[in-house]
Amino acid sequence: MFEKKVDEGEHVIDQGDDGDNFYVVDSGVFDIFVAISGQEPKNMGCYENTGSFGELALMYNTPRAATIIARTQGCLWALDRAVFRRLVVQSAFKKRRMYENFLESVPMFQTLDSYERMTVADALESRDFKDGDTLIRQGDLAKDFFLVEKGTARIAMIDVNDPGKEVDLATVGSGGYF
């Protein structure tokens, strides 16, 4: 990782260029411009003393999707393509291995072969919840499948005799699902 000082008005990346670095904002304000269908570039937002950009071109080997221009002097930290890809691949491998091991302990997934388990592991998205958070409400459209990695989840339904109360149905722990 190397430091890159920028001046006001400096183009950090230009839409359509090949990707060379991934950038993390240390300080400064950086405007995001995107030109769509040959129109004049539109300001789509900015990074103010925080944020990162440039990963898409490096991850997918595509041209830059936006132009980033320094509105103020600033400081960026940059990773070159090779280091960025190595870190992303290592991180993805560690995540996959962790989820594959977890899935092996879940009875529902024990009959899957390793390729099928790997496919499921790649699709998993970890989310953290605080004690008391509601994940699904009775009557909500079912759009998520939850696997409990750690902790417990309380499953309850509205009492048909007293709609102001809930009736506990189950508690699901690590390896459980709903």
Side-chain angles (χ1 to χ4, degrees):
M1 192 169 231
F2 61 93
E3 184 179 39
K4 179 176 172 65
K5 299 277 188 187
V6 294
D7 293 320
E8 179 182 339
E10 185 175 334
H11 284 229
V12 179
I13 62 174
D14 287 302
Q15 185 173 348
D17 284 357
D18 288 335
D20 54 355
N21 295 309
F22 166 69
Y23 297 96
V24 178
V25 178
D26 186 11
S27 64
V29 180
F30 299 86
D31 288 313
I32 308 161
F33 292 94
V34 176
I36 301 170
S37 303
Q39 296 178 354
E40 285 296 310
K42 291 176 95 172
N43 188 323
M44 306 301 280
C46 69
Y47 299 103
E48 292 188 45
N49 299 310
T50 187
S52 60
F53 55 88
E55 72 280 4
L56 296 178
L58 300 181
M59 289 171 64
Y60 303 112
N61 202 27
T62 58
R64 296 289 192 188
T67 296
I68 306 292
I69 302 172
R71 188 187 313 166
T72 66
Q73 279 190 328
C75 179
L76 299 166
W77 289 94
L79 280 176
D80 68 42
R81 175 188 293 274
V83 173
F84 177 81
R85 289 192 63 83
R86 188 170 60 247
L87 290 172
V88 168
V89 167
Q90 285 175 347
S91 176
F93 178 78
K94 284 170 75 174
K95 176 188 167 223
R96 175 188 283 170
R97 193 72 214 123
M98 179 186 73
Y99 284 144
E100 283 180 290
N101 290 336
F102 172 67
L103 292 172
E104 286 174 0
S105 72
V106 178
M108 171 190 230
F109 296 108
Q110 288 176 345
T111 59
L112 299 179
D113 64 36
S114 62
Y115 177 76
E116 292 168 325
R117 235 185 333 273
M118 177 182 66
T119 303
V120 173
D122 287 344
L124 291 177
E125 175 186 315
S126 187
R127 292 174 32 194
D128 292 320
F129 297 96
K130 295 183 190 91
D131 189 30
D133 283 354
T134 300
L135 282 62
I136 303 171
R137 287 206 183 281
Q138 187 173 336
D140 284 353
L141 183 64
K143 60 181 179 170
D144 292 310
F145 173 78
F146 291 92
L147 282 167
V148 179
E149 187 176 352
K150 62 183 177 185
T152 58
R154 175 180 156 259
I155 300 173
M157 66 179 276
I158 296 170
D159 187 331
V160 293
N161 297 319
D162 186 355
K165 291 186 178 178
E166 291 181 338
V167 176
D168 286 344
L169 300 176
T171 300
V172 180
S174 182
Y177 53 90
F178 56 95

